[in-house]
Every structure is written in C-alpha cells, then in structure tokens.
Amino acid sequence: IGLCVWLLMEADGFVRRRRMSAETPGGEAAVAGASAGAEIRWLGSRFWGVSEGIVGTLSPRIGGEAEVTTVQLYGPLEVSEIAEPDYEELPQGASTSTYMLAGAVAGIMEHCLMYPIDCVKTRMQSLQPEPAARYRNVMDALWRIVRTEGIWRPIRGLNATALGAGPAHALYFACYEKLKKTLSDVIHPGANSHLANGAAGCVATLLHDAVMNPAEVVKQRMQMYNSPYRGVLDCVRCVWQREGAGAFYRSYTTQLTMNVPFQALHFITYEYLQELLNPHRHYNPSSHMVSGALAGAIAAAATTPLDVCKTLLNTQESLTLHSVSQSGGHISGLAHAFRTVYRLGGLPAYFKGVQARVIYQMPSTAISWSVYEFFKYVITKHQHERRRSQKDGEK
C-alpha cells in the first residue's frame, strides 16, 4: 500500500509540474508561478481540513512542488514540449472500453492489496467462532493467523477474488460513468447531480454483484478458520455437489440490500467531496485518495449489519447451524439471517467486525478511485494524442 501511495504521489507531482510548465507564458512567468503556488497551497489547506492525518503525509510533497515552481521564476522558462491538455479538457465522452479497462485494473488492485484485512473481517464476523479464532482486534487477528496457520493463510482464496473482481469492476465503472452522465443531463443539465450519482451507483451494483457473488461465496468459505477445502476448484466442486448451484447466489439479495445503499452513499459522498476538494476536476491523486477513503469509511460503517448477515449466508457456519438447530439445513434469506444474528448475539452482533470493515474499506476505496482515475486519465490522454496526430497527418 505504501508503494502504491508513493507512486501516486510521484505521479501527482509530475502531472502538476508539467501542467504548470505548459500553462506558464514566458512573459508573465512570475504571475503564473505565484498563482500556481497559491493554488497548490489552497488545495493543501482544504485537504488538511478534511483529514489531517491523511493529508499530513502528502504536505511535504506539496511544499516541494511549490519550491520547484519558485526556482523557475528567476530565469526565462523554456517550454520544450507541446502543452499537454488538462484532464477536464480531454474528450468528455471517453469510450466504454476505457472505463472497463480502468475499472478492471482498479478492482483487481483494490481487492488484492486489501485481501488480508478482508480475511480478518470475515473471521471477526463469525457468530460462533472456534476458541482459537477469537481475536481482540485486527492486528491481533493478523498476527495469530500468520503465527499459527502460516504466512500465506491470510491470502488463501485470493485467486478466486481476482478472477471475479476484474469483470465485475469493469461492468461496474462502465455502467456508472454512462448512467451518471445520462441521468445528470436529464435531472440537472450541465451540472453534477447527486441524485444521478446515487442512482447510477445503484444500477451499477446490480451488474457488479451478479458477477462477484459466486467469487464472494468461495472466498469467504476459504477464509474461515479450519476451512476444509484444498483450493478454489475443490471449494466450487464441493459447494456445487452438496448444496447445488443456488448456493452461489444464496446471499445475492442480501448483497444487493447491503450494496445498493452502500454504493449510493459511497458515490454521493465521493462526488460531493470532489466538488469541495477538486472543483475543476483536474486529475489529482491526492483528492481522489482522500475522497475515496472518507466515502468508503462512511458507507462501510452504515451498512455493517447487512454485511454480517451476508457473511452468515455465505459461510453457513457449522457451529451457528448447530446452535439454532439447523443441522442438515441451511440459513436462507435475509429475514432468517437477521433473526439468527439477533438470537445469538443481540444488537451488538450486528456490528461484529465493524472495525475491520472500516479499516478495509478506507484504503480499499482510496486505492480503487486513485487507480481508476489514473488509468482513465492515461488511456484517454493517449487516445486524444493519437487522434490529434492522425489529424495532423491528414493535413
């Protein structure tokens, strides 16, 4: 995660310096340089006000950029390359393939980098855990899993998640981008509409969960303590033979019930924070990371009860089934899961694993949005330059 953040910070500094160099005319270098420095300091102060802890790690880099710009004030500025287009000046109607490719990469990186925390979250949501699988907090869980079960145990089932996350997030982001623009033009032409953002996120979730739900079932069964499966294929085969194909979608309605409000909150919060932190919608990794992290944390905390029920439906914990006299049967349906959770743990049980869920979602959504916006920017800029070179060749 640290390497990813460092790369994004370097990309942010590079893009800013290139933009400043391209936009600064030689005759008015001092004015443009001072304006650029003021803009960076303004953005830094806004980030600091939203999240002092996150932005504090970025402030040294922002200060470094201002110093580089100041040095350029004392001599003639030579622009050796053709000015690059700003992010908001790139073609607004990026192709669907661009959204899908950027979304697939973002989804795979998000799930792979945060998978060990996801494993801990699944175990901490267990209603009737084994004595050896009862943990005090996230770090205690990670340490004990590695120490007692092996260093690779926290990433068991990662390949199933990666296979599902690619196509699921490709459909997710492509659907969101297209619907957001279409609905915004209808609801609030020429401006951003929070209603359109939320509605687009809800519809995109339907496609995402349809692809991702079977991978979630396999992943969570392999994450549980004393999981009996040798690997992903063995898990798929055993579930299919013992419980039928419907087992892979047993939690689908619960997943949708959780993810529809989650994604509505997520997208509305993200777009709102972007209006505050990045009103001109430049490509800005810092603002994408802060907005994504805060949006993910708020949405995750609010939907934890539904996530606990989803985990129960996916894992069908043997001790839980025995406790509620379900031997030989299964817990099915959201209402049944809600009753079971309350019966075994009362109201506090609905928030089991909330700490792990928030700790997972904050960097997860920050990584997802940062990687997505980065690849969308790079791919769109490449397409723009290729079209421009083709037009120049025709002339």
Side-chain angles (χ1 to χ4, degrees):
I1 296 171
L3 177 60
C4 180
V5 172
W6 179 82
L7 289 172
L8 290 168
M9 288 167 63
E10 290 295 321
D12 183 26
F14 173 77
V15 171
R16 285 175 179 273
R17 290 193 298 272
R18 293 289 294 276
R19 183 183 296 134
M20 290 175 192
S21 299
E23 292 180 350
T24 305
E28 300 179 357
V31 175
S35 176
E39 179 185 357
I40 294 172
R41 288 190 294 273
W42 178 83
L43 285 172
S45 64
R46 295 298 293 273
F47 297 156
W48 187 273
V50 176
S51 178
E52 182 176 355
I54 297 175
V55 181
T57 61
L58 301 176
S59 57
R61 183 67 189 164
I62 295 174
E65 291 164 12
E67 291 173 7
V68 170
T69 305
T70 304
V71 169
Q72 293 176 343
L73 301 180
Y74 296 97
L77 183 65
E78 295 181 2
V79 180
S80 58
E81 299 183 23
I82 299 174
E84 293 187 6
D86 283 340
Y87 187 47
E88 72 276 7
E89 291 177 356
L90 293 174
Q92 295 299 310
S95 64
T96 302
S97 60
T98 298
Y99 298 137
M100 294 186 75
L101 179 58
V105 175
I108 292 172
M109 285 192 67
E110 168 194 349
H111 285 281
C112 289
L113 289 173
M114 298 305 301
Y115 192 84
I117 306 299
D118 187 44
C119 176
V120 170
K121 176 189 73 72
T122 297
R123 292 198 181 191
M124 293 183 75
Q125 288 179 336
S126 175
L127 296 175
Q128 297 284 308
E130 299 278 355
R134 293 173 182 170
Y135 312 110
R136 294 190 302 272
N137 51 51
V138 175
M139 294 309 298
D140 175 58
L142 272 177
W143 169 245
R144 288 175 57 186
I145 290 172
V146 170
R147 184 165 55 94
T148 60
E149 302 174 51
I151 192 172
W152 301 113
R153 187 61 181 86
I155 60 172
R156 193 165 183 256
L158 176 63
N159 46 350
T161 298
L163 286 173
H169 279 72
L171 292 172
Y172 173 71
F173 277 107
C175 178
Y176 172 71
E177 291 282 8
K178 292 297 184 181
L179 272 179
K180 178 181 73 170
K181 186 177 186 308
T182 302
L183 293 175
S184 291
D185 290 342
V186 174
I187 298 171
H188 198 172
N192 181 43
S193 168
H194 295 306
L195 178 60
N197 298 333
C202 292
V203 176
T205 301
L206 299 177
L207 295 177
H208 173 274
D209 288 358
V211 176
M212 197 66 189
N213 208 87
E216 281 282 318
V217 173
V218 175
K219 176 200 75 174
Q220 291 196 309
R221 294 201 180 207
M222 296 189 69
Q223 287 174 335
M224 294 300 288
Y225 181 75
N226 276 342
S227 175
Y229 309 107
R230 295 189 301 272
V232 170
L233 293 179
D234 179 53
C235 181
V236 171
R237 180 177 55 79
C238 290
V239 173
W240 184 285
Q241 291 176 351
R242 296 172 187 171
E243 304 175 43
F248 294 104
Y249 283 94
R250 186 179 287 131
S251 66
Y252 182 57
T253 53
T254 303
Q255 181 104 335
L256 287 179
T257 305
M258 175 187 72
N259 279 347
V260 165
F262 175 91
Q263 298 300 351
L265 264 174
H266 171 207
F267 282 113
I268 290 172
T269 305
Y270 177 82
E271 296 288 354
Y272 174 74
L273 289 172
Q274 281 293 286
E275 286 184 351
L276 295 179
L277 303 178
N278 192 11
H280 300 297
R281 296 304 176 105
H282 292 279
Y283 168 63
N284 191 310
S286 302
S287 71
H288 301 318
M289 289 177 66
V290 172
S291 300
L294 292 176
I298 292 170
T303 56
T304 296
L306 291 164
D307 193 45
V308 172
C309 294
K310 183 206 75 172
T311 298
L312 176 60
L313 288 168
N314 279 343
T315 58
Q316 299 290 314
E317 302 170 51
S318 57
L319 288 178
T320 299
L321 293 176
H322 180 73
S323 298
V324 295
S325 302
Q326 285 286 127
S327 300
H330 303 289
I331 296 172
S332 58
L334 179 59
H336 193 182
F338 257 102
R339 289 197 303 270
T340 303
V341 172
Y342 185 79
R343 178 178 173 182
L344 294 178
L347 290 176
Y350 290 114
F351 290 91
K352 289 177 72 70
V354 63
Q355 179 195 39
R357 180 164 163 79
V358 171
I359 290 174
Y360 168 79
Q361 285 293 347
M362 282 191 72
S364 178
T365 48
I367 291 168
S368 178
W369 278 110
S370 299
V371 173
Y372 173 69
E373 296 285 0
F374 171 74
F375 276 91
K376 187 171 74 170
Y377 170 77
V378 170
I379 295 170
T380 306
K381 186 164 75 71
H382 174 72
Q383 292 174 344
H384 173 79
E385 291 175 347
R386 187 174 60 184
R387 284 195 293 268
R388 187 174 61 181
S389 63
Q390 288 175 351
K391 289 180 181 179
D392 292 342
E394 291 174 359
K395 292 179 181 179

